């Protein structure tokens, strides 16, 4: 009986150590996946993205170059999905799932792109010929630094906020 209790105690201790060791090996990803979902009138909007952090880096014009197509997040291309036909910046977009890209500019308006190929890694295989919609968007300066890239869906559309920039995209 004592041998059985000792064996059970040793087995329990070994399992506890193994579970704790495994838990310590699991790290939060550098750019964790995130989703922003909301309703605009009767359309459900979902933006799925990976959220990188500023980490003291120069984002615009360095980590994210100006005048080049950017995946608007990290890892896989950001996706935008609507279950109803909508208008984006006054232009029609049919219900569906799209990859979402931005072309940042040093000044003036940025370009927001909805591309019919939703499954892409970054913008490496991006093809302009698959663009369904391109619209100009005016950025806004943020009062404080937004450390982690975040999308928010609101009554007027959605925003992408990161570093010192907010990119509002109007949806009706």
């Amino acid at each position: 009986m004592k041998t059985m209790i000792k064996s059970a105690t040793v087995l329990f201790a070994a399992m506890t150590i193994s579970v704790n060791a495994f838990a310590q090996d699991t790290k939060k990803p550098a750019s964790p996946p995130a989703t922003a979902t909301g309703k605009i009138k009767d359309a459900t909007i979902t933006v799925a993205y990976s959220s990188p952090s500023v980490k003291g880096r120069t984002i615009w014009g360095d980590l994210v170059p100006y005048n080049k197509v950017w995946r608007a997040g990290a890892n896989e291309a950001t996706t935008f999905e609507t279950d109803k036909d909508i208008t984006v910046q006054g232009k029609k977009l049919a219900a569906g799932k799209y990859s979402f890209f931005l072309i940042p500019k040093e000044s003036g308006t940025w370009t927001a792109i909805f591309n019919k190929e939703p499954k892409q890694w970054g913008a490496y295989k991006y093809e302009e010929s698959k663009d369904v919609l391109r619209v100009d968007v005016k950025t806004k300066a943020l009062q404080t630094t937004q450390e982690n890239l975040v999308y928010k869906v609101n009554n007027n559309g959605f925003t992408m906020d990161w570093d010192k920039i907010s990119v509002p995209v109007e949806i009706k």
Side-chain angles (χ1 to χ4, degrees):
M1 183 70 148
K2 286 184 180 182
T3 306
M4 196 189 289
I5 292 172
K6 282 184 183 178
S7 295
T9 303
V10 169
L11 181 61
F12 177 76
M15 287 174 50
T16 303
I17 291 168
S18 296
V19 168
N20 286 340
F22 179 74
Q24 290 175 359
D25 285 344
T26 305
K27 292 182 182 178
K28 181 180 173 191
S31 300
T35 304
T37 301
K39 283 262 200 206
I40 301 173
K41 297 197 179 184
D42 62 342
T44 300
I45 305 297
T46 303
V47 181
Y49 61 101
S50 290
S51 176
S53 301
V54 174
K55 297 180 192 170
R57 302 175 290 185
T58 301
I59 302 302
W60 309 114
D62 188 21
L63 181 67
V64 177
Y66 291 122
N67 305 311
K68 292 191 177 190
V69 173
W70 172 57
R71 62 183 133 195
N75 304 325
E76 290 186 27
T78 295
T79 60
F80 175 91
E81 189 169 7
T82 175
D83 65 345
K84 305 273 191 239
D85 294 353
I86 56 174
T87 60
V88 179
Q89 300 290 123
K91 295 183 179 179
K92 293 185 185 239
L93 182 66
K97 186 173 185 176
Y98 305 94
S99 54
F100 177 73
F101 298 99
L102 289 168
I103 300 177
K105 307 273 175 58
E106 192 165 2
S107 61
T109 58
W110 289 19
T111 303
I113 302 167
F114 297 82
N115 185 279
K116 66 181 175 184
E117 182 58 52
K119 293 295 274 175
Q120 305 187 49
W121 181 261
Y124 302 108
K125 293 187 178 184
Y126 163 80
E127 293 179 39
E128 186 174 346
S129 64
K130 293 183 179 181
D131 290 352
V132 174
L133 179 65
R134 279 181 169 230
V135 294
D136 291 332
V137 292
K138 292 184 179 187
T139 62
K140 295 180 179 179
L142 293 171
Q143 297 289 333
T144 59
T145 298
Q146 173 63 48
E147 178 64 27
N148 297 325
L149 182 145
V150 64
Y151 281 85
K152 299 173 191 168
V153 178
N154 57 51
N155 293 336
N156 301 319
F158 69 95
T159 61
M160 189 276 316
D161 296 348
W162 194 29
D163 192 22
K164 298 255 186 205
I165 303 260
S166 178
V167 183
V169 179
E170 180 187 86
I171 296 176
K172 292 185 178 177

